Every structure is written in C-alpha cells, then in structure tokens.
Amino acid sequence: MTIIDAVTTTTAQLPNQSPAQSTYQTRVADYWNAEENPVNLELGRIDDLYHHHYGLGDADWSVLDDDSDPARRRDRITAELHRLEQAQAELLARHLGPLSPADRVFDAGCGRGGGSVVAHLRYGCQADGVTISAKQAEFAGEQARKRGIDDRVRYHHRNMLDTGLPSGQFAASWNNESTMYVELELLFAEHARLLRRGGRYVTITGCYNDTYGRASREVSLINAHYICDIHPRSEYFRAMARNRLVPTHVEDLTAAALPYWELRKQADHLVTGIEDTFITAYENGSFQYLLIVADRV
Amino acid sequence: MTIIDAVTTTTAQLPNQSPAQSTYQTRVADYWNAEENPVNLELGRIDDLYHHHYGLGDADWSVLDDDSDPARRRDRITAELHRLEQAQAELLARHLGPLSPADRVFDAGCGRGGGSVVAHLRYGCQADGVTISAKQAEFAGEQARKRGIDDRVRYHHRNMLDTGLPSGQFAASWNNESTMYVELELLFAEHARLLRRGGRYVTITGCYNDTYGRASREVSLINAHYICDIHPRSEYFRAMARNRLVPTHVEDLTAAALPYWELRKQADHLVTGIEDTFITAYENGSFQYLLIVADRV
Amino acid sequence: MTIIDAVTTTTAQLPNQSPAQSTYQTRVADYWNAEENPVNLELGRIDDLYHHHYGLGDADWSVLDDDSDPARRRDRITAELHRLEQAQAELLARHLGPLSPADRVFDAGCGRGGGSVVAHLRYGCQADGVTISAKQAEFAGEQARKRGIDDRVRYHHRNMLDTGLPSGQFAASWNNESTMYVELELLFAEHARLLRRGGRYVTITGCYNDTYGRASREVSLINAHYICDIHPRSEYFRAMARNRLVPTHVEDLTAAALPYWELRKQADHLVTGIEDTFITAYENGSFQYLLIVADRV
Amino acid sequence: MTIIDAVTTTTAQLPNQSPAQSTYQTRVADYWNAEENPVNLELGRIDDLYHHHYGLGDADWSVLDDDSDPARRRDRITAELHRLEQAQAELLARHLGPLSPADRVFDAGCGRGGGSVVAHLRYGCQADGVTISAKQAEFAGEQARKRGIDDRVRYHHRNMLDTGLPSGQFAASWNNESTMYVELELLFAEHARLLRRGGRYVTITGCYNDTYGRASREVSLINAHYICDIHPRSEYFRAMARNRLVPTHVEDLTAAALPYWELRKQADHLVTGIEDTFITAYENGSFQYLLIVADRV
Amino acid sequence: MTIIDAVTTTTAQLPNQSPAQSTYQTRVADYWNAEENPVNLELGRIDDLYHHHYGLGDADWSVLDDDSDPARRRDRITAELHRLEQAQAELLARHLGPLSPADRVFDAGCGRGGGSVVAHLRYGCQADGVTISAKQAEFAGEQARKRGIDDRVRYHHRNMLDTGLPSGQFAASWNNESTMYVELELLFAEHARLLRRGGRYVTITGCYNDTYGRASREVSLINAHYICDIHPRSEYFRAMARNRLVPTHVEDLTAAALPYWELRKQADHLVTGIEDTFITAYENGSFQYLLIVADRV
Amino acid sequence: MTIIDAVTTTTAQLPNQSPAQSTYQTRVADYWNAEENPVNLELGRIDDLYHHHYGLGDADWSVLDDDSDPARRRDRITAELHRLEQAQAELLARHLGPLSPADRVFDAGCGRGGGSVVAHLRYGCQADGVTISAKQAEFAGEQARKRGIDDRVRYHHRNMLDTGLPSGQFAASWNNESTMYVELELLFAEHARLLRRGGRYVTITGCYNDTYGRASREVSLINAHYICDIHPRSEYFRAMARNRLVPTHVEDLTAAALPYWELRKQADHLVTGIEDTFITAYENGSFQYLLIVADRV
C-alpha cells in the first residue's frame, strides 16, 4: 500500500529544524493542493506520467500548423509539450545513475510523482517522493498503486527539509524545479544526511543570474506567480560547498528550455499567463535554467 | 558648487568590487531617472524636502473628510502625507546623533536628497549623498544650491557599494529604504570602511520576515514594482555581524507605517497602485518596516 | 511533584557538548548555592516572587525621605526595589507573547524561579526552569509547590547548555541576566534546538559596549564580584546570526536601570558593595543593560 | 617590446600576500627553467604554439600504423598529439568569450605562452601571461615578438598570486593546468581582483576526486613527478564560493583526455614516463580532468 | 573476550558521515591487511609491543659497529630501533595523563595495537583502538588476549571517522601517525564528540610545512609509498580551532626523529626503501614531525 | 634621531580599522603614561633594560635570607627579579631567530623598550617598537639614544592594530604580554600584513584556560588591575588560523613563571598588590602563562 504519512516530527531532528510549519509553507501547500492547471494535468494524462516542470529540446513546430481539426491540433501540441517535459525528466534521471534495483532514491518536492516513476522505470530502484501538498502525495500514491509499483515507489506528505527518512541510505536524490520554495542551506543539509558517501545529487532549477545583478522584474513576477523565492546561482554553489555536495557537471539549459516556452505560449488551451515573463527573463539574461550534478563526499 | 561626479573607479578598490555596472544596476538607474511619481514630487514641493520613502505615525484622518473644495482636500492630503514622511526622516536623523558641524555623514541611496538636508539642518554637519541615478543627483544638487548649502551638502552620481569616499572619515551614515537594491554584504563593508570607529549606522527598510517563511507573493509583487530585491530580516543581522556593525536599537515600525499607506491609498491623485500590496504584506506578517541602529566597532 | 533532576547526560547530545562539569561551573554553582543576599531574599519575600536580577523604571524617591520609622523606611525601600525588579520581569515576559496555556516556555538560568512564575501567571503556559545551583532549583520547586502550580512550572538542576529537554517543543525561552556565565555560541545553539520554528527568544542582560572598546575596569570588577564573564554586545548578535535567532526588537535599557541602582545604593540593609561599580560602568559608557528580542527562524 | 618584469612587489598588496618567494616556488621555477621535454618543445615547433598541457578528443590512431618511414611516423604522431593539445586550448578559449579587441585577458601560469596567443588570435584581445619561470617568460616573449604581436600579448616573470596587474580591468582570465602549484584561496582572490564584474574565469585542470576518497597513489606519483600538489575537486568549488566566482559550466573531460594519453604512451620519442600513471589514475576514478567555467559576480 | 566488530553503522550518525566505505579506504585497508614489513613485525616481537610509527631520541650508534656476529648485530639494531619507537610511544602516552583506571581512552588508527597497551600499562585505563584493517584489529586483539587485558583493551575493525563509540565518555584520545589517511575536519569532529569536556587529545604526525610552500616532491613520494595524503601543518590548527580542540603544547620533533631514520637506513634487514626520502624531506625543511597536545573545551 | 611619531592615520588603511581612538584605549594609555611602579623602573635601572613583563625560571631563594643589610637584601632581590625577567625576554628573542642585521623586526606593545633592545643586541637587526603610551615611547627612544642605537631601534607612539608600517617587510614580530589590550583578530591581521611570507611571530602572554571554563574571579581581578581583557587560550589559535599564522611551538610556561611571583610577593619594596591573585590564578588552573611561536605562511 502506498504510504501517505502526516507531516512527521522525527525524534532525531537536525539541530536547525523544528516541526512547526510556517505560514509561507501553508500557503505553498494550499497553492499546490488547489492547482489544476491543464498544462500539468492534460499532459500527464497521455501516459500517466505527471510532471510539474518544464520541457527541454527542440520542438516539432509543425504541430502548430496542423489545421486538420482544432481538437487534433490541440492534442498534438499537448503531446509535443509532454514529449519535451518527458525529455527533461529523462535528462535528470540519466544523471542519477548508474543505479541498480537494490538502490534507494529520494525525490524532493515530488509533485504528482512523475519523476520517481521515471527513475524507477529506468533503474528498477526504490523511490521515496516527498511533497508538502497532501493532495499531490495522494494523487501520486494513487498513480503508483495503479501501476502496481507502490511497494517500490512511495510518496509522503512531508517537509523536504525534515523528511524523517533514514540517514546514509540513499544512492541518489534530486530536486526537479522545487528548490525555490526552501532555504538551500537546510535543503542541502538534508540531502547530505540522506545520501550515502559517494551518492549522487541532481537538480534542474531556475535560478537568477548574479552576472546580471539582483533579481530582475521578471524574476520577481515569476516569484509572485508561484509564491516561490528564486535563488541566485551563486547561492547553490555556496550552500553545496558547505554541505559536502561537490559539482561534477553543470550545464546552462536556458537555450534548450526556450522552445518549450515558445510552443506553450501558442497553446491557448494550456497557457497560464506566465509564459511571456519566462521568455523575457531567459532572453534578457536575468534568469537561467540550470542543471547541477553533484557528488556527496 | 555641488559636485556631480561621474561613476568613479577608485584606485584603492575593495577586493570584491569592480567598476563595471551590471545590467540590473542600469535598469534601476533607468527607473529612477524616469520616475516622476506625484507622491514623491508633489510632497517634496511643499517645503523642498524631497523624500523617496514612506511615512510614520498616526494620520490626521480628518483631511479625508474635507469636502470644502476638491483641490483643498487634495492639498491637505498631500500635506498630511508629507508630514508623515517628514516624521520618518526625522526619526532616522535623530538616531544619527549627537553630531556636530565638524562631523561628516554619508547618505547611501540619497534619491532627490531630502535626507541629507534634514541631517544638515538638524546638526550642521557636512553630508555626502550618493545615488545611482544621474537625474536624482542633479536634482538634489540643484536643491542644495538653491538653499545655499551646496558647500556642506554634496550629491554624487555613484554606486553606493563603491563610493570612492575616504576611509574612516564619517561620523554617521544611513540607508533610508535603499538597501533592497544591493547585496548587504558589500553594502555594509562599504559603510564599515567609511565610518570611523564608534561611528553610527542607521537604516529604515522594508524586509521580509523569516518568521513567516520565504518571500510572500506580496513581497515579490513589491520587488517587481520597484525592480528591487527585498532581503529577509535575518540577512541584515548576518551581514552586520560580519562587518563590525553592532545593533544598539532595533524597532519594528510596521504598525506605525500603516496609517501612511491607508491614507495614501485614498489619495486618488497620488496612488501608484502598489498601496494594497503593501497593506496586505504588512498585515499578513510577511513584510516588516524595520529600524536598525548600529555602532561601527 | 516538582522535578529536581540530577545533572543529566542526554543520550542525544549535541556534538559540541559533553556532560563533564568544569571547575568554573562548580565554582559558579557553589556561589549560588551559598548566596543569601538580602537584596534577593527580602525582596522576594514580599509576594514570593524571587528574582535574581535588577530593576527598571523611575523610582519613587520619597521612600528615602520616610523618617517615620527606620523599619518602615527600610520596608518601603525594599518594596520599591521589588516593584522595580518586578517591572523588569514583566517587561521581559511581555515580549515572550502572545502565548497560550497550550504553550511551553524555557527559563535558562532560572535562579530562585520568579521569572517562570511570572510567565505562567501571565499566559497560563507551562514552564521549565533550569539552574546550575541545586539549592536554587530546590527553593524554586518549593515555591511552585506552595502555589500549587508545580504540575505546570518545573525547575531542574541542570546545565542550561545541555538541558536534555525535547527539541522544537518550546514556544518561547529566555535568559534574564544569566548569559554571562556561559559561551553564547553554545547557549544559542541550545535555545535554537529547543524552540519551535517561529518561537521567541528574549534576553535582558548586561553587556560590555564595543563602542567604548574592550572591557573596562568596572566591567572586570563586576565579573570578579559574580564570577561571571560579561560578553561584548557584538558577541550576542554574532552568535545569534549563527544560530537562526533573528532580532526583532533591541532596546538599550541602561538609562532605565539607573534609578534602581541609585536607590539600592542608599538602602543600607540591602547593599552588596557592587552598586557604585555598576553606576560608574553605566555612566562611563562601558557597560549597557540591553534587551534583545529575537525570533527562531 | 615584450615586457619581462622581475618579480614585483606591488605597493597596494593584498593583505595575505607578501613578496618573499618560498623554497617550494623556487623549486618549481627551477623545474620549469630546466624543462626541455620533447613533448612540449617538438609539438610546439609545428606552428609555434607552445603548450604545457594535455590534449582532448578522439585520436587518429592510424598514425601509429604508418610504417612507411620511422621519421614520418614520428612526425605524424607528434602532429596528432599537437592537434589534440591545440583542441584543448581552443576549447578553453571558446569559453572565455565573447570578447572584443578592446578587452584584456589574463593567462595565469602561461608557460611558454601558447594559450595567450590562441586567445589573441581568436578574439583580437590583449593578453597578459604570467609565469614563475624566467626562462618560460623569455621564451614566450620571444615568440610574441616573432609574430609581431608583442604590443598586444605580454608575458611577465611574476607570481600568479601577486601579479601587480590592475584591479577590475580584465574581461576574462584562466588557468590551463596550472592551479596545482598554488593555494586556490589565494589564486581565486587574485582572479577576482583582476576581473571586472561580469568577467569570465575558465580553468581546465586535473583534480583528485573526493568521491574516490583522498589522493590515490597515482595522484601522489603525479605530484612527485611535477612537484605539484593536486587539489581535490571540492576545494575548487569551496574556494570559488568564497571569492565571488560562480560556476556556469562544469564538464568532466576525463574520458576525452584518455586518447591523448594512450597515443602519447606509444610515442617513444615523446614519453616522459608518467603516461601509465595518468591512465591508471583516470581509469580507477581517483583523478579527473575537469573544465570549470565561472562568472565573476 | 576481545571485541572485533564489523564496520558499524551507528544509529545516531553525525550529519556529515555515512557508512559507505570509499575506494580509497578499501585500498588503504588492503595495504595494511597485506603489510608484513619486518620493521614493524620484528621490532614488535621483542616485547610484544607492536607499533606502526617511527622513533625518537638519540640512537646508540655503537650497534652498527658490532662485528662480533652478523645476527647479533642485526638483533642489536632491531632492538635499538624498537627502543626508539617505544620512546616515541611513551612520549605520546605521557601527554595523555594524568589518567586513572576509571578513565577510558581512544586510540584512533591503532594499527597492531601497541599504543593502547602502552597507555593501559601506564595508567591502568581502559582503551578502545580502532583500525580500518580487519587483520590489524584481529592481530591486536590476539595480543591483548595473550596479555590477559582484553577486558580492558579492546580493538575494533571500524572507521575512525565514525566509530560508533559513545559521546563524551573518553578522558583522552590520540592519533599516532594515522591522521594522514583522513580528512582532519571529520576526524577532529569525531574526537571532539568522544572526549568529555576537559579531555585531552594528542597527535604525533608527519605534516608538510607551509613555510616551505606546498607539498615537496619528497612529501608526494611518501604519500605514494603509503597511499596517504599528508596534511599541511596549518590544516591541523584550522581544523582543531573549528572543533573545540585547543593546543596546549606543540613541539617540532623533526630533529629528534632523524637518528631513527639514519639508523634504520643502515639496517639492511629492515629497510623498506623510503628511508632516504624521509631524511631528505626532514632536512630540506618541507616535512616536519610534530607533536600536538590539545584540550577538548 | 629616535622617531616619536604621533598616532598616524595611514592612507592605505586595512578595511576594519579606523583612526579614532576608543575611550578604552585612552584609558589604557593614561594608565601607562602614569605608571611608575618600582618593579618596572628599579629593575630596569640595573642595566637599562626596561621590561614590562614577568620573569621565568628557578629563583635564587637565598637572596631572601640575606640579612647582612636591608638595602643590600633589597638590591639582591631586585637583581634576582631582573635576572628572571631578562631570562623571559631572552627566551622570547631566541624564538625570533635566526635573524641577520639585514632583517627588520616589529615589537607590538613595546612598553619602555627593553625587548627591542634585547633583539637588536642578539641579532643586530633593526627594530620598530610601537606603544599607545606617548610617555613610554619617549622613554624608550631616550634609552636607544643613550645607547647610540637609535638609528637601528625606533619607537613609535602608535596603535599596534594600525601601525602604518610597510607590508611584508618584517622578518619577525612579537607581543610580550601586550595582547590582552586588543582584539586578537585585528592584531594578527596586522602582524600578518607586516611579516613577509615565512616570517616568524612570537608571543608570551597570560591567557585564561578554557579547560577550566570561563574567566575565573582571579582573572577578572587581574583584568581590573591592569584595565586589560585577558583572552581565552582558544581565541589565540582561532585568530591565528584565520590570519595565516601557523604555530610551530607552544609551551605552557605557568610552572616556570611561579618562582618569579613567589619571590616578588616577598619583595616589600616592589609589590604592587596583585601578586597573590596571580599565584592563585596559576595554581587553580584558571590562568596560564603561554608561549606561542608561529610562522607567517
């Protein structure tokens, strides 16, 4: 049976964490409990891999020109966007490995659970996903149950900063577009605690670009849209350096992220209104879509 | 004559600073070069004390009920708001002292210059104001010239992180709602360099409240409005601790700031549209209006 | 029954602490086990609120002029000093709240227990006081028993740096003139561990003033008198910054503390001999009586 | 004329540096003053681009099978190795840009000067190379003179930790296999001082892999061979985080470096004896060939 | 019975440690599992005190001149070297005290166990030795059993960074030439956890000399010989400062170590081939034999 | 001519220092300007080597038994104490070397100048002494003039934290019982700036012992006596670790310091009243007389 725990107070708490949920966290949980954007749900329905992140790679622009039938055009656009977000999930999963079915992985900020399923399908590994949204955890658990993998892939309604999961037992862990809701210092301390020595940490994230300066207007609008707090790029490396996570691969995915946004912008049935802001932020250099792969040493 | 320098590259630069202006800084400068909000200009015109910050204290609500004449009503509201912003400037200035005419003070992010004039009028001290907006520096210089105090009060078009002003010569310095445009670590390093041992630093600023959590949606909307990047409260104390600035007085001015916003919200001729966001942010606990008074040790 | 534990070795010790008591701690414990100053005992007897700190606010100087009867004059002086020390305790308690009877609070260095009783009476909350003096813990426990609140207010004979109390369970905690016996780094780590996220920490303390320079002769004499080691003001903010305690209110109470000392100096039946040193230290600027209110973030 | 300065004592020294050369530095300088390995000199002679680093990319193995003539075979192997080392230099140079002829770049540990010439040829920029070996500086200067670019490309006999070059004037800087001779903390402080805000730093380097553990026997043998002190990968990111250098691209080039070594191992006229150690170190996972591209923020 | 545990995963792990053994650690363990150098075994056989470190003090050079009989000469040299290594062990043990039979001590990197026996014989204290080599742990345990002290002196096959031993229970601990296999930051954190407040830490170690510069060729050759990673002297004091270990006695034993090496170099039956490298390293100033005695505060 | 500068404001100030003298510094200067203790002046008169520190080594107790003549007895006691303080100065000077006449040394807190003369006589080196007392600087200069060495040994009336002396020019520097007047972080930054790489720093100082706990009553009484602020032992090593000063020799001189104090206590013509406090502090373990020798790396 899929495990849906209540937010847990672990007995062996890390010094800097305590169980009380902040108003901010409640508001973020409320947002995701209520969120029903077609761009997340309709894409996921295609093959029951529900993501909460963006896509990567060149788009097949011909889907826009399909004027055979409006519904068919919509479906092709939806499928193409899903293909791109699936490519992103695969890119992340590729960097987790090699892993074996004996390994455990941790999905921090798992949303509706697609990433954990992708990792499990690729490596056979066990996965634990954690989300602050009870509804997401329930949804994800239901998906795992339907697939019959709920003994290998578990979702928990918990705080990713204080998971209550055991120390040093995980071979890999990741955040897929979920670091902007938490303090990196606390987040990486938790990953470092969970990972075994030599374990792998991967994140794909939007960060603001210190080279540009402070957060641009566009970055602030994205923050306002999602109730998040995007970190500067520098903060990732500073917090990793303090928590025994050593980068081994860093890649600026900004250019590869643009086709997804350009396509989505033209998908009237899927737009949420934030599309232009993302495109401007990427293009004016104030915002970056970044992959960081690091080793726990 | 009032000195309006170009952005200066000092020969004895601090290690972490270099003269190149970031895109972000250019965008902030552009904003303030273009800014002509009545709430700043009309209030200043009353007695030629031009501020760029908010007000403090109880409002005289009767100005709203003045229905003798629309123009008169507007003028009374304008005057009342100016009285409140002047009270804020006086509160800050009070904490700078005691100072004598032999002392020099530094106004970081001086805007149109009102704060430096207030300090000079109160103590007779010399003042140097610095702003990244050439137009503000020019405007402020013109004001000083008109008052005939331009030999004592100087405005510079420079970066407050890299002022080129001499080390250890200032008895006091401050930021009045201008810290949210810069990295605090660099800012406090510059104040610590300029202040003599025992000198006084004062800031009144909007910060986001770590007790609430990360930046709320309202805080992000304020950031988007002003192209700024509001710091968490914790960051002020962390950066001060690293730069020999030791708090001696800290006061939460949030409640005292609300009347200004409630009144301004009803001043149709002055609103900029951000009023409700401020009021919500103050009331939901995610945002604070804070006074910090610290000694350079 | 009131709980008087022996000094406890907790199984889940913080990394930097170990159970062995230092010679210094033994000497401090001996001092307080032996201490019977009338200024503490006689004041407490008035209403069974025994404090071990100083007073705040304007004094009623007329008590000195009461020449009706020497005993009555003495009693009036005693009562007035108690009123002032009670005002101090109330000021501190006010900053702990709001709290409800469901909340737990922690009194670090509780002495004869007055502060915990004040907090309980005001908020109905549960309190745990900790003192290194077995005799003080016993005395305080006896008081709680007499008041019939020993199920809500408990005193422990323990080290405040290593309390063995549970993590993240306290809504508020404080040190009332007890920080000068311990390393602030270890102290604030323990408060941060005990407080829940969003919890409140308050201290009223004598600190030496970095603006003046290093510890003055008077500060050293006070240290010698109480076998304590007064910290510079800067150290409080540095150690808080490292332990997720963020100031929200800081107030220099030095001027408000002087009347207590001036009155006590003239109370022949209560003086301990340290009065002039305190007055000189406050007046020459080398010593400060400081309130810091901080949030656990 | 090419400038060959003596080791300079700058008047505005960084706090942590002093002009005295250590015994270690003298020994390193002696090594490079005496070094005449064919693998460096013969490769450079081909087109007067003298490098002191290894190569990247797939090798044309057919050169080994050329049995037409021993000399011709040797020449073809030499040319192929030079092609690979040139590819490495080009990869590094590509990450410096975009740059214009108005820009200045800094080559830390320039050896015989090939890297500065590559950068100049690609971008037209001015270059300053620094080496601790007087003989290398002289050789490199002579090459620049022959090419007629000695007004744009200058080599200095100086310490790369204390260059005496002006602050904030450089658009890009790099270390090509030269970081293992110095403390990274001091090195990155100097790069951060020289680079303008937004400037680019690039290094290609051999580092030992913290995931493997401490330095392996092979890493120590390489250290002994070159009198160097290879850093762990973690140290790069830690020192960058402390010196405002923020990675934007990190790539593990180990696999791409192996063909160079496999080919060189079979080049009897070029081997130095360290080839097998490198191959083993790369293959057992204890050693990595790493590219880091970072921005000065 | 002597306890030979398997490498243990403690339930209350330190945040930065996890149980997985690195390739490096495996390789070090393999080295020591296979090591059978006469210089360690033959010396130990004399009185069953098996050390894995060098000697101190003036040598009796007359043993070299003994030409009565080759075997006798060999024995006398062997005995003299053992006398010197025993003197080293005694010097270290002297600095652990005073200790009583009630005290527990911890021997980090115990090798074949001689040091723990020396400490037990001197003070009667209990000892726990830890080595990463299963074979050494077994050998040492067998020795303790033979002496009948296996209830007081225990050897464990464990990682010295993660011993699983109880917190704050040890009166003294040491590393005798075993710090060069581990990160000092993690090592001293573990010692600080194990030692009670006021406990004593002692190390005798070879470190490289920052005054000379970076690691010399000789230091790297020693690293290659033993698969170790010798730290600079500075790193010891930096890591101690961060882990509440405060030096009270520091002594450069380099000169006192030379006679041992000069004698061993001439002992054909005992040399391992590294002798000249040590002598050169000591003499050129790049390497030091250092004693550090510190208090856990 | 001996140079007696006024307190200097250097143009190239270190970031954290500013020229204003604190009240504390003024009070310390006043103390030493007024100080005329026979124990300093009468001892110095013997051979014009005026020290301001204590003595080391076994005393010749027979001087106490000399009852031939009270004046002779007094003189013999005075001479014996001078011999002991001279032994201390020689011990410190020995650790500065080897030095040559080409070298410069820096005496931080030089008092009446004896230490600089001792160093000059031993090595022929140039010396710069700095004291905050104008009277001491003048006295010391006069002594140098009388000896005819004022071209080699100079005394300055300056702040030892901000000497204005040139960077990287000094081969050795020291504090002889003068560190307790200043912040160690600032002090060691200044020494690190002045010393060349590989230079030597020596201090003999009284520190309080963290193993004992916080400052004992006796330590506080000593602080009150001299208006100083004795540091814990730990602080020396922490501040050195942050300022590139690496200990090479540390020695607890407490036992060797006691004879001086026992003898001085019985010298009625020389006692200042603090003798018993020192003896108690040394004997109860709360206070230590420590030698630290460190290298500037």
Side-chain angles (χ1 to χ4, degrees), chain F residues 136-161:
Chain F
Q136 286 186 331
E138 202 171 341
F139 183 99
E142 179 62 25
Q143 294 296 319
R145 203 152 40 244
K146 279 191 195 159
R147 282 182 186 268
I149 57 173
D150 49 319
D151 57 331
R152 302 288 289 167
V153 178
R154 292 170 295 273
Y155 299 98
H156 313 265
H157 171 215
R158 294 187 191 174
N159 183 343
M160 68 169 101
L161 302 180

Side-chain angles (χ1 to χ4, degrees), chain D residues 224-235:
Chain D
H225 184 86
Y226 291 104
I227 322 181
C228 67
D229 196 1
I230 291 165
H231 305 284
R233 175 158 46 102
S234 58
E235 187 54 28

Side-chain angles (χ1 to χ4, degrees), chain B residues 167-168 195-197 244 296, chain F residues 13 15-18 183 186:
Chain B
S167 297
L195 288 168
R196 62 169 168 72
R197 208 195 178 289
R244 304 186 68 83
R296 166 65 167 86
Chain F
Q13 269 177 303
N16 282 333
Q17 295 169 21
S18 55
E183 279 178 72
L186 298 182

